[in-house]
Amino acid sequence: MLQVSYIRDNREKVLERLAVKNFKQPELVEDVIGLDEKRRQTQNQLDNVSSQANAAAKQIGELMRNGKKDEAETIKANTGKWKEEIKQLGEELAAVEVELQDKLVLLPNLPHSSVPKGLTPEENEVVLENGSKPELPAGALPHWELAAKYNLIDFELGVKITGAGFPVYKNKGAKLQRALINFFIDEAEKAGYSEVSVPLMVNEASGFGTGQLPDKEGQMYFVGEDKLFLIPTAEVPVTNIFRDVILKGEELPVKHCGHTPCFRREAGSYGAHVRGLNRLHQFDKVEIVQVVHPDNSYDVLEGMSAHVQGLLQKLGLPYRVLRLCGGDMGFASALTYDMETWSAAQQRWLEVSSVSNFETFQSNRLKLRFRNAEGKTQLAHTLNGSALALPRIVATLLENNQTEKGIKIPDVLVPYTKFEWID
């Protein structure tokens, strides 16, 4: 959530940056500024009346102690008017604050100055490409056919049990899934992240804190009776560990990682590009989250991007890094890098990770602060990244490593899988 004081003091810049993000309701900025002015005026009125009432109460007490009862009663006769005015102003202030909050939460985060303009994924900026695209043997298969051939994943069984987008991993497919999770967690711990195991459902306050609510209700599974949401990513519960927390400056950076299943409704997703593992309603992911000093957050973002790239390099997957344009960015992000691997059988790039800096957008909602060198509380910066999401990693590993003999497991995973080939 943007800070009202920043919007008030930087109106033109806010409008300019929101335009980069293709925000369609710039009038909300004027609404927020107007409501903030009304809130401050009402607060001043309330403070003035309360000050008069308090001064009168002291005066009444002084007069009563000095035996001037008649004078005290005269002043006391006016206190009812002040009480009524205080009540009325308090109600007005509460109503204005609710309206201001309702408008404020509709404003997305401002994009960083390096974010390119653009509306669609095609306008994202390619930062770099790494690795060579493999040449597959004649008759190479896409991963969904490989999964059936080697009895690794049963998509139809998932449909029977739950519905489309809920695959059943079997045999070496299940072992590969587990091996990747353990590999990603081990690599995160080597990089200084502490593992946490978190709930798979969160309350509304947690969804609000990280910016999923009120932006993404339609994409989240909701348990109505208990008013809980199935998590779309471990980012939500892991970051909410620090909701309403004041950290010591020397505790920064805080680095957590965690593996969870993730649940996304993916409403409206259909077609060839969502076939197989390309888009699921339930999938596993290892997430990395950092809470850092604002001065360091963009250096940290580059470091998190490098960590994800290191995983792809160790898996031997060709990949590219994209800086997302304003129109393709998430609601809460100030800058996002997407990592995509090359699917040799499908002949297209598949997104496998997003790494984002949210600056103070989440921490303002979470009331996540730290004490700076002067001992004053200050909003921290939060960042998160997929390290990595499994479905498309599995897809590209199967497709890119297929041979006439079978599917070769990357050397780095063999200690985890305990097998070198899927055959």
Side-chain angles (χ1 to χ4, degrees), residues 175-222:
K175 293 181 187 298
L176 176 60
Q177 179 98 336
R178 180 157 42 89
L180 283 164
I181 293 165
N182 289 333
F183 170 62
F184 294 152
I185 288 289
D186 285 353
E187 291 297 303
E189 288 188 322
K190 289 176 186 176
Y193 292 88
S194 299
E195 183 181 4
V196 291
S197 182
V198 290
L200 303 184
M201 291 190 288
V202 294
N203 54 32
E204 185 176 352
S206 293
F208 174 81
T210 44
Q212 278 71 30
L213 300 175
D215 180 51
K216 293 185 174 67
E217 295 97 329
Q219 292 296 320
M220 297 170 71
Y221 285 99
F222 181 58

mmCIF file of all heavy atoms in Angstrom, residues 175-222:
data_model
loop_
_atom_site.group_PDB
_atom_site.id
_atom_site.type_symbol
_atom_site.label_atom_id
_atom_site.label_comp_id
_atom_site.label_asym_id
_atom_site.label_seq_id
_atom_site.Cartn_x
_atom_site.Cartn_y
_atom_site.Cartn_z
ATOM 1 N N LYS A 175 9.250 -39.168 -7.572
ATOM 2 C CA LYS A 175 10.597 -39.071 -6.997
ATOM 3 C C LYS A 175 11.336 -37.842 -7.537
ATOM 4 O O LYS A 175 12.072 -37.165 -6.812
ATOM 5 C CB LYS A 175 11.386 -40.341 -7.286
ATOM 6 C CG LYS A 175 10.854 -41.585 -6.573
ATOM 7 C CD LYS A 175 11.710 -42.807 -6.883
ATOM 8 C CE LYS A 175 11.089 -44.082 -6.305
ATOM 9 N NZ LYS A 175 10.988 -44.022 -4.837
ATOM 10 N N LEU A 176 11.160 -37.557 -8.828
ATOM 11 C CA LEU A 176 11.787 -36.378 -9.419
ATOM 12 C C LEU A 176 11.249 -35.105 -8.778
ATOM 13 O O LEU A 176 12.014 -34.173 -8.478
ATOM 14 C CB LEU A 176 11.537 -36.359 -10.927
ATOM 15 C CG LEU A 176 12.059 -35.138 -11.692
ATOM 16 C CD1 LEU A 176 13.567 -34.999 -11.536
ATOM 17 C CD2 LEU A 176 11.672 -35.220 -13.178
ATOM 18 N N GLN A 177 9.962 -35.077 -8.552
ATOM 19 C CA GLN A 177 9.330 -33.927 -7.897
ATOM 20 C C GLN A 177 9.940 -33.711 -6.510
ATOM 21 O O GLN A 177 10.343 -32.598 -6.149
ATOM 22 C CB GLN A 177 7.818 -34.196 -7.785
ATOM 23 C CG GLN A 177 7.028 -33.107 -7.109
ATOM 24 C CD GLN A 177 6.352 -32.171 -8.098
ATOM 25 O OE1 GLN A 177 6.784 -32.032 -9.229
ATOM 26 N NE2 GLN A 177 5.318 -31.509 -7.657
ATOM 27 N N ARG A 178 10.035 -34.755 -5.739
ATOM 28 C CA ARG A 178 10.584 -34.666 -4.379
ATOM 29 C C ARG A 178 12.066 -34.292 -4.418
ATOM 30 O O ARG A 178 12.547 -33.521 -3.578
ATOM 31 C CB ARG A 178 10.362 -35.995 -3.654
ATOM 32 C CG ARG A 178 10.872 -36.045 -2.233
ATOM 33 C CD ARG A 178 10.147 -37.125 -1.431
ATOM 34 N NE ARG A 178 9.960 -38.368 -2.160
ATOM 35 C CZ ARG A 178 10.854 -39.363 -2.161
ATOM 36 N NH1 ARG A 178 11.995 -39.236 -1.518
ATOM 37 N NH2 ARG A 178 10.597 -40.481 -2.821
ATOM 38 N N ALA A 179 12.800 -34.843 -5.391
ATOM 39 C CA ALA A 179 14.224 -34.533 -5.516
ATOM 40 C C ALA A 179 14.441 -33.048 -5.793
ATOM 41 O O ALA A 179 15.339 -32.413 -5.202
ATOM 42 C CB ALA A 179 14.830 -35.371 -6.641
ATOM 43 N N LEU A 180 13.641 -32.477 -6.678
ATOM 44 C CA LEU A 180 13.777 -31.053 -6.998
ATOM 45 C C LEU A 180 13.488 -30.180 -5.787
ATOM 46 O O LEU A 180 14.207 -29.207 -5.532
ATOM 47 C CB LEU A 180 12.825 -30.692 -8.148
ATOM 48 C CG LEU A 180 13.277 -31.119 -9.543
ATOM 49 C CD1 LEU A 180 12.115 -31.059 -10.522
ATOM 50 C CD2 LEU A 180 14.430 -30.238 -10.035
ATOM 51 N N ILE A 181 12.452 -30.519 -5.027
ATOM 52 C CA ILE A 181 12.132 -29.754 -3.821
ATOM 53 C C ILE A 181 13.315 -29.755 -2.863
ATOM 54 O O ILE A 181 13.748 -28.706 -2.356
ATOM 55 C CB ILE A 181 10.871 -30.325 -3.137
ATOM 56 C CG1 ILE A 181 9.640 -30.097 -4.010
ATOM 57 C CG2 ILE A 181 10.672 -29.696 -1.755
ATOM 58 C CD1 ILE A 181 8.429 -30.916 -3.599
ATOM 59 N N ASN A 182 13.876 -30.932 -2.588
ATOM 60 C CA ASN A 182 14.988 -31.035 -1.650
ATOM 61 C C ASN A 182 16.224 -30.303 -2.173
ATOM 62 O O ASN A 182 16.946 -29.650 -1.404
ATOM 63 C CB ASN A 182 15.311 -32.504 -1.373
ATOM 64 C CG ASN A 182 14.243 -33.175 -0.536
ATOM 65 O OD1 ASN A 182 13.544 -32.529 0.231
ATOM 66 N ND2 ASN A 182 14.104 -34.484 -0.686
ATOM 67 N N PHE A 183 16.471 -30.416 -3.471
ATOM 68 C CA PHE A 183 17.598 -29.707 -4.077
ATOM 69 C C PHE A 183 17.441 -28.200 -3.927
ATOM 70 O O PHE A 183 18.386 -27.492 -3.513
ATOM 71 C CB PHE A 183 17.721 -30.100 -5.550
ATOM 72 C CG PHE A 183 18.689 -29.265 -6.333
ATOM 73 C CD1 PHE A 183 20.032 -29.243 -6.012
ATOM 74 C CD2 PHE A 183 18.242 -28.494 -7.405
ATOM 75 C CE1 PHE A 183 20.931 -28.459 -6.742
ATOM 76 C CE2 PHE A 183 19.131 -27.710 -8.131
ATOM 77 C CZ PHE A 183 20.472 -27.701 -7.803
ATOM 78 N N PHE A 184 16.261 -27.682 -4.235
ATOM 79 C CA PHE A 184 16.038 -26.242 -4.145
ATOM 80 C C PHE A 184 16.168 -25.746 -2.707
ATOM 81 O O PHE A 184 16.747 -24.673 -2.454
ATOM 82 C CB PHE A 184 14.652 -25.876 -4.704
ATOM 83 C CG PHE A 184 14.497 -26.124 -6.180
ATOM 84 C CD1 PHE A 184 13.241 -26.408 -6.719
ATOM 85 C CD2 PHE A 184 15.580 -26.074 -7.031
ATOM 86 C CE1 PHE A 184 13.086 -26.630 -8.082
ATOM 87 C CE2 PHE A 184 15.444 -26.299 -8.401
ATOM 88 C CZ PHE A 184 14.189 -26.574 -8.926
ATOM 89 N N ILE A 185 15.630 -26.493 -1.750
ATOM 90 C CA ILE A 185 15.734 -26.097 -0.343
ATOM 91 C C ILE A 185 17.192 -26.117 0.108
ATOM 92 O O ILE A 185 17.671 -25.189 0.782
ATOM 93 C CB ILE A 185 14.878 -27.017 0.554
ATOM 94 C CG1 ILE A 185 13.380 -26.728 0.362
ATOM 95 C CG2 ILE A 185 15.255 -26.856 2.029
ATOM 96 C CD1 ILE A 185 12.905 -25.407 0.925
ATOM 97 N N ASP A 186 17.923 -27.168 -0.240
ATOM 98 C CA ASP A 186 19.336 -27.259 0.147
ATOM 99 C C ASP A 186 20.140 -26.093 -0.426
ATOM 100 O O ASP A 186 20.989 -25.506 0.269
ATOM 101 C CB ASP A 186 19.940 -28.583 -0.327
ATOM 102 C CG ASP A 186 19.497 -29.772 0.512
ATOM 103 O OD1 ASP A 186 18.831 -29.554 1.553
ATOM 104 O OD2 ASP A 186 19.797 -30.921 0.129
ATOM 105 N N GLU A 187 19.875 -25.747 -1.680
ATOM 106 C CA GLU A 187 20.595 -24.637 -2.297
ATOM 107 C C GLU A 187 20.235 -23.310 -1.625
ATOM 108 O O GLU A 187 21.095 -22.435 -1.463
ATOM 109 C CB GLU A 187 20.285 -24.575 -3.797
ATOM 110 C CG GLU A 187 20.864 -25.727 -4.600
ATOM 111 C CD GLU A 187 22.376 -25.746 -4.560
ATOM 112 O OE1 GLU A 187 22.991 -24.719 -4.952
ATOM 113 O OE2 GLU A 187 22.954 -26.776 -4.157
ATOM 114 N N ALA A 188 18.985 -23.142 -1.239
ATOM 115 C CA ALA A 188 18.578 -21.918 -0.536
ATOM 116 C C ALA A 188 19.270 -21.815 0.817
ATOM 117 O O ALA A 188 19.745 -20.744 1.215
ATOM 118 C CB ALA A 188 17.062 -21.880 -0.371
ATOM 119 N N GLU A 189 19.358 -22.927 1.537
ATOM 120 C CA GLU A 189 20.026 -22.912 2.834
ATOM 121 C C GLU A 189 21.509 -22.594 2.675
ATOM 122 O O GLU A 189 22.092 -21.881 3.501
ATOM 123 C CB GLU A 189 19.818 -24.244 3.542
ATOM 124 C CG GLU A 189 18.380 -24.429 4.036
ATOM 125 C CD GLU A 189 18.209 -25.661 4.898
ATOM 126 O OE1 GLU A 189 18.835 -26.691 4.596
ATOM 127 O OE2 GLU A 189 17.429 -25.589 5.868
ATOM 128 N N LYS A 190 22.138 -23.100 1.618
ATOM 129 C CA LYS A 190 23.540 -22.759 1.352
ATOM 130 C C LYS A 190 23.705 -21.257 1.127
ATOM 131 O O LYS A 190 24.762 -20.693 1.414
ATOM 132 C CB LYS A 190 24.045 -23.520 0.125
ATOM 133 C CG LYS A 190 24.234 -25.011 0.323
ATOM 134 C CD LYS A 190 24.644 -25.670 -0.985
ATOM 135 C CE LYS A 190 24.702 -27.189 -0.866
ATOM 136 N NZ LYS A 190 25.021 -27.836 -2.176
ATOM 137 N N ALA A 191 22.664 -20.625 0.601
ATOM 138 C CA ALA A 191 22.698 -19.185 0.333
ATOM 139 C C ALA A 191 22.288 -18.357 1.544
ATOM 140 O O ALA A 191 22.141 -17.133 1.431
ATOM 141 C CB ALA A 191 21.802 -18.865 -0.854
ATOM 142 N N GLY A 192 22.083 -19.013 2.676
ATOM 143 C CA GLY A 192 21.797 -18.282 3.907
ATOM 144 C C GLY A 192 20.340 -18.132 4.276
ATOM 145 O O GLY A 192 20.004 -17.414 5.220
ATOM 146 N N TYR A 193 19.454 -18.842 3.571
ATOM 147 C CA TYR A 193 18.034 -18.778 3.897
ATOM 148 C C TYR A 193 17.700 -19.826 4.969
ATOM 149 O O TYR A 193 18.204 -20.950 4.920
ATOM 150 C CB TYR A 193 17.167 -19.039 2.655
ATOM 151 C CG TYR A 193 17.240 -17.946 1.622
ATOM 152 C CD1 TYR A 193 18.224 -17.961 0.634
ATOM 153 C CD2 TYR A 193 16.332 -16.895 1.632
ATOM 154 C CE1 TYR A 193 18.291 -16.963 -0.325
ATOM 155 C CE2 TYR A 193 16.395 -15.893 0.681
ATOM 156 C CZ TYR A 193 17.381 -15.927 -0.299
ATOM 157 O OH TYR A 193 17.451 -14.930 -1.235
ATOM 158 N N SER A 194 16.842 -19.458 5.903
ATOM 159 C CA SER A 194 16.374 -20.379 6.933
ATOM 160 C C SER A 194 15.045 -20.977 6.494
ATOM 161 O O SER A 194 14.124 -20.239 6.114
ATOM 162 C CB SER A 194 16.185 -19.652 8.268
ATOM 163 O OG SER A 194 17.403 -19.108 8.721
ATOM 164 N N GLU A 195 14.936 -22.294 6.569
ATOM 165 C CA GLU A 195 13.715 -22.957 6.116
ATOM 166 C C GLU A 195 12.604 -22.820 7.151
ATOM 167 O O GLU A 195 12.831 -22.955 8.355
ATOM 168 C CB GLU A 195 13.966 -24.438 5.843
ATOM 169 C CG GLU A 195 12.731 -25.155 5.286
ATOM 170 C CD GLU A 195 12.948 -26.628 5.033
ATOM 171 O OE1 GLU A 195 14.040 -27.140 5.351
ATOM 172 O OE2 GLU A 195 12.017 -27.275 4.521
ATOM 173 N N VAL A 196 11.411 -22.547 6.667
ATOM 174 C CA VAL A 196 10.212 -22.532 7.505
ATOM 175 C C VAL A 196 9.148 -23.378 6.822
ATOM 176 O O VAL A 196 9.089 -23.458 5.596
ATOM 177 C CB VAL A 196 9.673 -21.099 7.750
ATOM 178 C CG1 VAL A 196 10.609 -20.301 8.629
ATOM 179 C CG2 VAL A 196 9.433 -20.363 6.435
ATOM 180 N N SER A 197 8.317 -24.027 7.628
ATOM 181 C CA SER A 197 7.178 -24.779 7.125
ATOM 182 C C SER A 197 5.927 -24.067 7.609
ATOM 183 O O SER A 197 5.729 -23.911 8.826
ATOM 184 C CB SER A 197 7.214 -26.223 7.636
ATOM 185 O OG SER A 197 6.135 -26.967 7.120
ATOM 186 N N VAL A 198 5.101 -23.617 6.686
ATOM 187 C CA VAL A 198 4.021 -22.684 7.021
ATOM 188 C C VAL A 198 2.659 -23.274 6.664
ATOM 189 O O VAL A 198 2.556 -24.226 5.887
ATOM 190 C CB VAL A 198 4.218 -21.346 6.276
ATOM 191 C CG1 VAL A 198 5.422 -20.596 6.834
ATOM 192 C CG2 VAL A 198 4.376 -21.577 4.766
ATOM 193 N N PRO A 199 1.577 -22.690 7.219
ATOM 194 C CA PRO A 199 0.220 -23.156 6.877
ATOM 195 C C PRO A 199 -0.086 -22.957 5.398
ATOM 196 O O PRO A 199 0.448 -22.052 4.750
ATOM 197 C CB PRO A 199 -0.684 -22.270 7.744
ATOM 198 C CG PRO A 199 0.183 -21.789 8.863
ATOM 199 C CD PRO A 199 1.549 -21.659 8.277
ATOM 200 N N LEU A 200 -0.970 -23.808 4.889
ATOM 201 C CA LEU A 200 -1.387 -23.728 3.489
ATOM 202 C C LEU A 200 -2.660 -22.910 3.314
ATOM 203 O O LEU A 200 -3.117 -22.718 2.180
ATOM 204 C CB LEU A 200 -1.594 -25.133 2.919
ATOM 205 C CG LEU A 200 -0.396 -26.074 2.998
ATOM 206 C CD1 LEU A 200 -0.709 -27.394 2.315
ATOM 207 C CD2 LEU A 200 0.843 -25.441 2.391
ATOM 208 N N MET A 201 -3.230 -22.447 4.410
ATOM 209 C CA MET A 201 -4.377 -21.551 4.354
ATOM 210 C C MET A 201 -4.060 -20.310 5.172
ATOM 211 O O MET A 201 -3.358 -20.386 6.182
ATOM 212 C CB MET A 201 -5.647 -22.235 4.894
ATOM 213 C CG MET A 201 -6.163 -23.344 4.003
ATOM 214 S SD MET A 201 -7.809 -23.950 4.476
ATOM 215 C CE MET A 201 -7.399 -24.831 5.983
ATOM 216 N N VAL A 202 -4.575 -19.169 4.727
ATOM 217 C CA VAL A 202 -4.335 -17.908 5.425
ATOM 218 C C VAL A 202 -5.649 -17.165 5.602
ATOM 219 O O VAL A 202 -6.621 -17.388 4.880
ATOM 220 C CB VAL A 202 -3.340 -17.014 4.661
ATOM 221 C CG1 VAL A 202 -1.952 -17.640 4.627
ATOM 222 C CG2 VAL A 202 -3.838 -16.714 3.240
ATOM 223 N N ASN A 203 -5.644 -16.260 6.578
ATOM 224 C CA ASN A 203 -6.833 -15.437 6.800
ATOM 225 C C ASN A 203 -6.782 -14.188 5.918
ATOM 226 O O ASN A 203 -5.797 -13.938 5.209
ATOM 227 C CB ASN A 203 -6.971 -15.077 8.286
ATOM 228 C CG ASN A 203 -5.719 -14.415 8.845
ATOM 229 O OD1 ASN A 203 -5.006 -13.704 8.147
ATOM 230 N ND2 ASN A 203 -5.444 -14.668 10.118
ATOM 231 N N GLU A 204 -7.849 -13.423 5.977
ATOM 232 C CA GLU A 204 -7.963 -12.245 5.111
ATOM 233 C C GLU A 204 -6.870 -11.232 5.406
ATOM 234 O O GLU A 204 -6.337 -10.594 4.489
ATOM 235 C CB GLU A 204 -9.343 -11.606 5.283
ATOM 236 C CG GLU A 204 -9.597 -10.446 4.328
ATOM 237 C CD GLU A 204 -11.009 -9.878 4.432
ATOM 238 O OE1 GLU A 204 -11.835 -10.494 5.143
ATOM 239 O OE2 GLU A 204 -11.276 -8.844 3.807
ATOM 240 N N ALA A 205 -6.507 -11.062 6.679
ATOM 241 C CA ALA A 205 -5.470 -10.097 7.041
ATOM 242 C C ALA A 205 -4.143 -10.450 6.385
ATOM 243 O O ALA A 205 -3.395 -9.564 5.952
ATOM 244 C CB ALA A 205 -5.313 -10.043 8.560
ATOM 245 N N SER A 206 -3.838 -11.741 6.289
ATOM 246 C CA SER A 206 -2.599 -12.162 5.648
ATOM 247 C C SER A 206 -2.642 -11.898 4.147
ATOM 248 O O SER A 206 -1.656 -11.435 3.553
ATOM 249 C CB SER A 206 -2.336 -13.651 5.914
ATOM 250 O OG SER A 206 -2.075 -13.884 7.278
ATOM 251 N N GLY A 207 -3.777 -12.191 3.516
ATOM 252 C CA GLY A 207 -3.921 -11.917 2.091
ATOM 253 C C GLY A 207 -3.822 -10.434 1.787
ATOM 254 O O GLY A 207 -3.237 -10.030 0.776
ATOM 255 N N PHE A 208 -4.372 -9.610 2.680
ATOM 256 C CA PHE A 208 -4.272 -8.169 2.515
ATOM 257 C C PHE A 208 -2.832 -7.708 2.687
ATOM 258 O O PHE A 208 -2.328 -6.869 1.930
ATOM 259 C CB PHE A 208 -5.176 -7.455 3.519
ATOM 260 C CG PHE A 208 -5.027 -5.959 3.515
ATOM 261 C CD1 PHE A 208 -5.668 -5.198 2.558
ATOM 262 C CD2 PHE A 208 -4.222 -5.320 4.451
ATOM 263 C CE1 PHE A 208 -5.521 -3.808 2.538
ATOM 264 C CE2 PHE A 208 -4.060 -3.944 4.433
ATOM 265 C CZ PHE A 208 -4.709 -3.184 3.473
ATOM 266 N N GLY A 209 -2.136 -8.275 3.668
ATOM 267 C CA GLY A 209 -0.796 -7.825 4.008
ATOM 268 C C GLY A 209 0.187 -7.914 2.861
ATOM 269 O O GLY A 209 1.045 -7.040 2.700
ATOM 270 N N THR A 210 0.084 -8.958 2.044
ATOM 271 C CA THR A 210 1.027 -9.118 0.937
ATOM 272 C C THR A 210 0.465 -8.658 -0.410
ATOM 273 O O THR A 210 1.133 -8.783 -1.432
ATOM 274 C CB THR A 210 1.482 -10.592 0.829
ATOM 275 O OG1 THR A 210 0.358 -11.460 0.960
ATOM 276 C CG2 THR A 210 2.498 -10.917 1.912
ATOM 277 N N GLY A 211 -0.764 -8.142 -0.413
ATOM 278 C CA GLY A 211 -1.297 -7.526 -1.624
ATOM 279 C C GLY A 211 -2.144 -8.421 -2.496
ATOM 280 O O GLY A 211 -2.564 -8.017 -3.574
ATOM 281 N N GLN A 212 -2.428 -9.656 -2.053
ATOM 282 C CA GLN A 212 -3.322 -10.520 -2.837
ATOM 283 C C GLN A 212 -4.763 -10.050 -2.723
ATOM 284 O O GLN A 212 -5.552 -10.231 -3.653
ATOM 285 C CB GLN A 212 -3.206 -11.978 -2.365
ATOM 286 C CG GLN A 212 -2.034 -12.744 -2.947
ATOM 287 C CD GLN A 212 -0.704 -12.273 -2.403
ATOM 288 O OE1 GLN A 212 -0.621 -11.818 -1.266
ATOM 289 N NE2 GLN A 212 0.334 -12.385 -3.203
ATOM 290 N N LEU A 213 -5.113 -9.477 -1.596
ATOM 291 C CA LEU A 213 -6.453 -8.933 -1.374
ATOM 292 C C LEU A 213 -6.341 -7.434 -1.173
ATOM 293 O O LEU A 213 -5.413 -6.965 -0.509
ATOM 294 C CB LEU A 213 -7.096 -9.586 -0.136
ATOM 295 C CG LEU A 213 -7.282 -11.107 -0.194
ATOM 296 C CD1 LEU A 213 -7.812 -11.618 1.142
ATOM 297 C CD2 LEU A 213 -8.209 -11.499 -1.320
ATOM 298 N N PRO A 214 -7.248 -6.654 -1.781
ATOM 299 C CA PRO A 214 -8.425 -7.091 -2.538
ATOM 300 C C PRO A 214 -8.186 -7.234 -4.038
ATOM 301 O O PRO A 214 -9.125 -7.086 -4.826
ATOM 302 C CB PRO A 214 -9.410 -5.956 -2.256
ATOM 303 C CG PRO A 214 -8.524 -4.735 -2.180
ATOM 304 C CD PRO A 214 -7.235 -5.200 -1.558
ATOM 305 N N ASP A 215 -6.983 -7.560 -4.470
ATOM 306 C CA ASP A 215 -6.677 -7.575 -5.908
ATOM 307 C C ASP A 215 -6.985 -8.906 -6.586
ATOM 308 O O ASP A 215 -7.367 -8.937 -7.750
ATOM 309 C CB ASP A 215 -5.184 -7.250 -6.102
ATOM 310 C CG ASP A 215 -4.761 -7.240 -7.558
ATOM 311 O OD1 ASP A 215 -5.426 -6.563 -8.357
ATOM 312 O OD2 ASP A 215 -3.779 -7.916 -7.902
ATOM 313 N N LYS A 216 -6.814 -10.041 -5.892
ATOM 314 C CA LYS A 216 -6.833 -11.339 -6.570
ATOM 315 C C LYS A 216 -7.843 -12.334 -5.985
ATOM 316 O O LYS A 216 -7.612 -13.543 -6.029
ATOM 317 C CB LYS A 216 -5.436 -11.966 -6.524
ATOM 318 C CG LYS A 216 -4.384 -11.224 -7.338
ATOM 319 C CD LYS A 216 -3.075 -11.985 -7.339
ATOM 320 C CE LYS A 216 -2.059 -11.317 -8.264
ATOM 321 N NZ LYS A 216 -1.645 -10.002 -7.780
ATOM 322 N N GLU A 217 -8.958 -11.852 -5.464
ATOM 323 C CA GLU A 217 -9.944 -12.792 -4.922
ATOM 324 C C GLU A 217 -10.351 -13.857 -5.932
ATOM 325 O O GLU A 217 -10.522 -15.032 -5.587
ATOM 326 C CB GLU A 217 -11.214 -12.049 -4.458
ATOM 327 C CG GLU A 217 -11.020 -11.104 -3.306
ATOM 328 C CD GLU A 217 -10.839 -9.676 -3.759
ATOM 329 O OE1 GLU A 217 -10.286 -9.468 -4.866
ATOM 330 O OE2 GLU A 217 -11.249 -8.773 -3.023
ATOM 331 N N GLY A 218 -10.492 -13.452 -7.194
ATOM 332 C CA GLY A 218 -10.961 -14.377 -8.215
ATOM 333 C C GLY A 218 -9.980 -15.469 -8.554
ATOM 334 O O GLY A 218 -10.357 -16.474 -9.155
ATOM 335 N N GLN A 219 -8.719 -15.309 -8.171
ATOM 336 C CA GLN A 219 -7.699 -16.310 -8.474
ATOM 337 C C GLN A 219 -7.407 -17.223 -7.291
ATOM 338 O O GLN A 219 -6.632 -18.173 -7.425
ATOM 339 C CB GLN A 219 -6.401 -15.616 -8.904
ATOM 340 C CG GLN A 219 -6.502 -14.907 -10.245
ATOM 341 C CD GLN A 219 -6.758 -15.860 -11.395
ATOM 342 O OE1 GLN A 219 -6.211 -16.949 -11.460
ATOM 343 N NE2 GLN A 219 -7.637 -15.459 -12.304
ATOM 344 N N MET A 220 -8.005 -16.950 -6.134
ATOM 345 C CA MET A 220 -7.698 -17.721 -4.928
ATOM 346 C C MET A 220 -8.880 -18.615 -4.549
ATOM 347 O O MET A 220 -10.046 -18.225 -4.697
ATOM 348 C CB MET A 220 -7.366 -16.776 -3.760
ATOM 349 C CG MET A 220 -6.130 -15.930 -4.019
ATOM 350 S SD MET A 220 -5.909 -14.614 -2.793
ATOM 351 C CE MET A 220 -5.449 -15.575 -1.352
ATOM 352 N N TYR A 221 -8.564 -19.813 -4.065
ATOM 353 C CA TYR A 221 -9.593 -20.719 -3.554
ATOM 354 C C TYR A 221 -9.988 -20.270 -2.149
ATOM 355 O O TYR A 221 -9.120 -20.011 -1.310
ATOM 356 C CB TYR A 221 -9.077 -22.160 -3.521
ATOM 357 C CG TYR A 221 -8.998 -22.807 -4.873
ATOM 358 C CD1 TYR A 221 -7.785 -22.877 -5.557
ATOM 359 C CD2 TYR A 221 -10.127 -23.347 -5.480
ATOM 360 C CE1 TYR A 221 -7.702 -23.477 -6.809
ATOM 361 C CE2 TYR A 221 -10.046 -23.949 -6.732
ATOM 362 C CZ TYR A 221 -8.836 -24.011 -7.391
ATOM 363 O OH TYR A 221 -8.764 -24.604 -8.625
ATOM 364 N N PHE A 222 -11.296 -20.188 -1.904
ATOM 365 C CA PHE A 222 -11.808 -19.643 -0.646
ATOM 366 C C PHE A 222 -12.614 -20.686 0.090
ATOM 367 O O PHE A 222 -13.501 -21.327 -0.495
ATOM 368 C CB PHE A 222 -12.676 -18.418 -0.942
ATOM 369 C CG PHE A 222 -13.245 -17.748 0.278
ATOM 370 C CD1 PHE A 222 -12.417 -17.275 1.281
ATOM 371 C CD2 PHE A 222 -14.618 -17.585 0.416
ATOM 372 C CE1 PHE A 222 -12.942 -16.648 2.406
ATOM 373 C CE2 PHE A 222 -15.149 -16.957 1.529
ATOM 374 C CZ PHE A 222 -14.320 -16.492 2.521
#
